[in-house]
Structures are given as C-alpha cells and as structure tokens.
Amino acid sequence: MINIIGGKFKKTKLEVPLKKVRPTSIIKRKAIFSILESYGIQNSIDIYYKKSVIDLFAGSGALGLEAISRGAYYCYFFDTAKEVCDTLYKNCKKIIKENKFNIQKKDSREIKKILLKYPLSLVFIDPPYNLYSINDILINLLEKNIFEKNTIIVIETSNKEKVNFKKNFILIKEKKYNKTNILFLKKLG
C-alpha cells in the first residue's frame, strides 16, 4: 500500500498491484509535486484547477490520483495489464467520481487512436525502464495535438535513456535519483 501525500485525499491508501508495477517512491512523488506547484506559483499558473491529467503506464495510479487529490478535474489512465487496471479502478473509486476518470486498458503508444474529451494540462510518463522509447511517446502525444497552452510533461526514466526533446519542448527542471531521472518539460509555442 502507498498513500496519497497531499490535497483533499491526503493519507488515502492506494493498493499496489503485486506484479508488473514499479511505484514511484514517496520521495520522488513529493519532489514531483513540489516542483510542479513551485513552477505554477513562479509562473502564475494554476496547475490543477479545471485541468485534465493523463497518467501513462499508470500502475496504481498514484501520480494521476495525487493530481486529482490536489484539485485536477479529470484524469485519463493508461495501462495494459488487466490485474493492474482492476487495482487502478479500485483506487480511482476511493477518490474520484465515476465521470471524472477514464481507464484505458491499452498500450500508451496507442494514444493516437483514443478519443480524449479534454485537452491535457499535465502528463505523467513513467514506463518500465528501457522497454519503451520516451521519444516515440512524446511524438505520439504531439501528433495527437491534445496539449493546452501551459501543459507540463513529467517523465520518469532510467538515467541511461537519452530523451530528445529539444525541437518541441523546453526543459523546466531535471532531478536525478540514483538510476532515475525525472524531467519536467513544457511544449514550445
């Protein structure tokens, strides 16, 4: 079990699927949301209010649910394993009203084929390390054209993977934790 760490549903316990999941540690989640909120304050942007979020490779849904707990309006979750999606659904029911989330039991690379009702303000990308190309995922998101003006993309990846974002995104912040890099990007233009 892990807990929501902030917002309206702080301390709510989330189940973690036993297989196929590497939950983002509490230290990293605290850092992610601290950086997001600091960026919002510095740039006069409300990160959560009336905003839609997508949690790719969602696992327990901790990142998307944390954003909902802090005030996000809607969250899309993507994961491929049935048992993971079942656990994710139980976690969502603890926090979100039925019509405020959508779980897609699909590979995140299929996002181009999925109809999304709301443009995205916050994107979490946390794939299994070294199995998916972050660059391909970013290209798919760009081609879908679903970003709002100030969309922030948070990527957790292996420190061995090189993310090529310079043509379409700017780096807001980068945090390093042992074998992990966390990148905060904003779409150019």
Side-chain angles (χ1 to χ4, degrees), residues 12-138:
T12 299
K13 294 190 179 313
L14 302 177
E15 293 180 39
V16 177
L18 297 176
K19 297 178 184 172
K20 302 182 181 183
V21 173
R22 174 194 37 80
T24 302
S25 72
I26 192 166
I27 292 169
K28 292 177 199 166
R29 280 189 292 131
K30 282 181 178 179
I32 287 168
F33 286 92
S34 175
I35 289 166
L36 287 171
E37 290 168 10
S38 177
Y39 179 82
I41 291 166
Q42 291 169 359
N43 294 279
S44 300
I45 299 168
D46 192 322
I47 300 292
Y48 310 113
Y49 182 68
K50 291 189 176 181
K51 305 293 182 172
S52 295
V53 178
I54 193 165
D55 190 345
L56 300 175
F57 308 94
S60 68
L63 294 173
L65 292 169
E66 189 71 46
I68 291 287
S69 180
R70 293 167 188 252
Y73 175 75
Y74 194 94
C75 191
Y76 300 96
F77 298 92
F78 277 70
D79 213 299
T80 56
K82 182 185 181 329
E83 66 191 61
V84 173
C85 289
D86 290 346
T87 301
L88 177 55
Y89 182 79
K90 290 177 196 171
N91 288 338
C92 286
K93 294 298 287 177
K94 292 178 182 179
I95 292 176
I96 309 174
K97 292 180 183 175
E98 189 77 37
N99 61 346
K100 302 292 184 194
F101 70 95
N102 180 292
I103 297 172
Q104 292 286 328
K105 188 181 164 284
K106 296 192 180 327
D107 189 307
S108 294
R109 294 172 294 184
E110 294 182 42
I111 194 161
K112 289 193 288 188
K113 302 175 189 173
I114 306 299
L115 176 65
L116 302 178
K117 293 192 291 188
Y118 305 105
L120 302 174
S121 300
L122 187 55
V123 177
F124 295 108
I125 305 172
D126 183 12
Y129 292 168
N130 306 312
L131 288 180
Y132 293 86
S133 165
I134 297 292
N135 296 317
D136 289 347
I137 294 166
L138 288 172

Side-chain angles (χ1 to χ4, degrees), residues 110-183:
E110 294 182 42
I111 194 161
K112 289 193 288 188
K113 302 175 189 173
I114 306 299
L115 176 65
L116 302 178
K117 293 192 291 188
Y118 305 105
L120 302 174
S121 300
L122 187 55
V123 177
F124 295 108
I125 305 172
D126 183 12
Y129 292 168
N130 306 312
L131 288 180
Y132 293 86
S133 165
I134 297 292
N135 296 317
D136 289 347
I137 294 166
L138 288 172
I139 288 167
N140 285 342
L141 287 168
L142 279 170
E143 288 175 357
K144 183 79 173 160
N145 195 24
I146 50 171
F147 294 131
E148 284 194 343
K149 180 183 175 191
N150 292 306
T151 298
I152 298 172
I153 298 106
V154 180
I155 302 168
E156 182 175 338
T157 186
S158 162
N159 62 6
K160 294 177 183 172
E161 182 166 6
K162 299 297 177 213
V163 179
N164 182 11
F165 59 84
K166 300 211 184 319
K167 285 193 290 188
N168 300 300
F169 300 93
I170 58 170
L171 180 67
I172 297 169
K173 182 105 174 158
E174 181 175 11
K175 291 285 284 183
K176 296 178 186 275
Y177 296 91
N178 299 323
K179 297 177 183 178
T180 303
N181 282 352
I182 301 176
L183 305 170

